[in-house]
Amino acid sequence: IAGITQAPTSQILAAGRRMTLRCTQDMRHNAMYWYRQDLGLGLRLIHYSNTAGTTGKGEVPDGYSVSRANTDDFPLTLASAVPSQTSVYFCASSDSLEAEQFFGPGTRLTVL
Amino acid sequence: GQNIDQPTEMTATEGAIVQINCTYQTSGFNGLFWYQQHAGEAPTFLSYNVLDGLEEKGRFSSFLSRSKGYSYLLLKELQMKDSASYLCAAMDSNYQLIWGAGTKLIIKP
């Protein structure tokens, strides 16, 4: 593994289903982030984690949850997917809060 | 509220110079970032400014004026591979990035 990986690459999901997007980094970065990117809008922060064991809410946290059991992994869970959660989801990490963020390749999620 | 403004789309010619402007309003300020994003790909870091002035990195330069809440990204000697979206993001007092919607740059031969 080099950098940040995300899985799956894309997914079509029925509304009401539970879904977990996976994110793993091998750079030993302290901070990790989940964003969604929608056409015509800037990246919007869903949740973040400053360090393993801690998480925080971003701009658009409703309907999403995260956990940070260790440094490398930061999964994002949609408990009951809705069509408005159709988006491209990017995971990112940074060595510290003020440092540049490195992005994973993204997960394209469609909720029908 | 917090806000980032940048043009939606710009067109330039191969070999020329283009300047992409960005204005920002944030609660506190801890720096201004520029990222490049090719279609269907992840954003990649280009530059970071926290002090006023110009930072040069090869063909790309970035400028910041904190008093005006203004930054620009300057791309010289444009190449076809520079066709991409350029994202401006300001870091607020909580060290969270506030992102603009991006400027789609179209390079014509």
Side-chain angles (χ1 to χ4, degrees):
Chain A
I1 299 177
I4 302 182
T5 59
Q6 292 183 236
T9 302
S10 65
Q11 182 75 44
I12 299 174
L13 190 66
R17 297 298 294 267
R18 180 183 180 89
M19 176 74 193
T20 295
L21 308 185
R22 300 185 297 279
C23 174
T24 299
Q25 54 105 357
D26 67 353
M27 297 177 283
R28 308 303 293 173
H29 283 171
N30 289 311
M32 296 188 75
Y33 316 83
W34 274 105
Y35 292 95
R36 60 178 289 172
Q37 186 174 42
D38 302 290
L39 198 63
L41 298 178
L43 288 160
R44 292 183 290 170
L45 183 66
I46 303 170
H47 285 286
Y48 65 93
S49 170
N50 293 342
T51 189
T54 69
T55 62
K57 293 181 179 180
E59 180 186 355
V60 288
D62 293 344
Y64 306 95
S65 63
V66 291
S67 62
R68 187 90 184 275
N70 56 59
T71 299
D72 299 346
D73 301 301
F74 191 45
L76 176 74
T77 297
L78 290 67
S80 180
V82 295
S84 62
Q85 292 178 311
T86 294
S87 187
V88 179
Y89 291 85
F90 286 104
C91 179
S93 71
S94 63
D95 188 39
S96 60
L97 288 179
E98 63 269 27
E100 67 189 83
Q101 295 180 14
F102 294 83
F103 284 79
T107 293
R108 184 173 295 274
L109 182 67
T110 302
V111 182
L112 300 176
Chain B
Q2 307 199 100
N3 190 54
I4 305 287
D5 283 317
Q6 53 181 129
T8 302
E9 186 175 296
M10 299 182 70
T11 301
T13 304
E14 189 177 15
I17 299 173
V18 70
Q19 177 175 312
I20 302 174
N21 296 324
C22 169
T23 58
Y24 64 89
Q25 285 181 299
T26 54
S27 302
F29 180 75
N30 281 300
L32 193 292
F33 293 77
W34 284 96
Y35 281 77
Q36 181 189 61
Q37 185 177 26
H38 285 99
E41 298 183 6
T44 55
F45 171 77
L46 286 178
S47 68
Y48 169 68
N49 296 66
V50 67
L51 300 176
D52 285 357
L54 188 68
E55 294 278 345
E56 297 186 75
K57 191 185 294 185
R59 294 189 298 114
F60 292 10
S61 302
S62 56
F63 171 84
L64 177 66
S65 169
R66 293 177 64 140
S67 62
K68 295 182 179 179
Y70 167 71
S71 174
Y72 68 72
L73 181 69
L74 191 71
L75 292 74
K76 304 176 185 176
E77 302 170 15
L78 286 170
Q79 302 175 9
M80 297 303 293
K81 68 179 182 179
D82 297 330
S83 293
S85 288
Y86 291 86
L87 314 181
C88 174
M91 183 167 279
D92 69 11
S93 58
N94 294 319
Y95 294 96
Q96 291 188 7
L97 286 176
I98 310 302
W99 295 82
T103 299
K104 183 178 180 180
L105 179 62
I106 299 168
I107 310 295
K108 296 186 174 180

